[in-house]
Amino acid sequence: MVDLKVCIGTSCHVSGAHNVIMTFQHMMEKYQLYDKVELGGTFCMGVCSGTTVAVSVNDTIYAIAPESARTFFKEHVLPLCQ
């Protein structure tokens, strides 16, 4: 099971956390991964930048731009689901 968390704190919310969550949900549906990925929200992960959203995959933290969420999912989450 892949533990995928998206920060929903103030800075990440303003930077597009909702869009990242929606993209991840879409990708999980597209690849039928609801039994392999647990998607959740969390508060500050300590990588606030004001332009990116903090995301953790199995406790590894990344700062991603909302427009790169689809690519991020393909590169960092999908391989763990194989």
Side-chain angles (χ1 to χ4, degrees), residues 19-78:
N19 293 338
V20 172
I21 292 168
M22 297 305 290
T23 299
F24 287 171
Q25 287 178 330
H26 172 74
M27 297 298 283
M28 289 169 63
E29 184 176 322
K30 177 179 179 177
Y31 292 101
Q32 301 176 348
L33 298 175
Y34 285 107
D35 60 334
K36 295 183 179 182
V37 177
E38 183 172 336
L39 176 62
T42 188
F43 289 100
C44 191
M45 293 186 220
V47 294
C48 303
S49 76
T51 60
T52 60
V53 176
V55 173
S56 74
V57 179
N58 294 338
D59 297 323
T60 300
I61 300 172
Y62 303 88
I64 68 167
E67 56 272 10
S68 68
R70 188 173 309 279
T71 301
F72 177 87
F73 192 94
K74 288 179 181 177
E75 292 176 356
H76 295 277
V77 179
L78 270 181

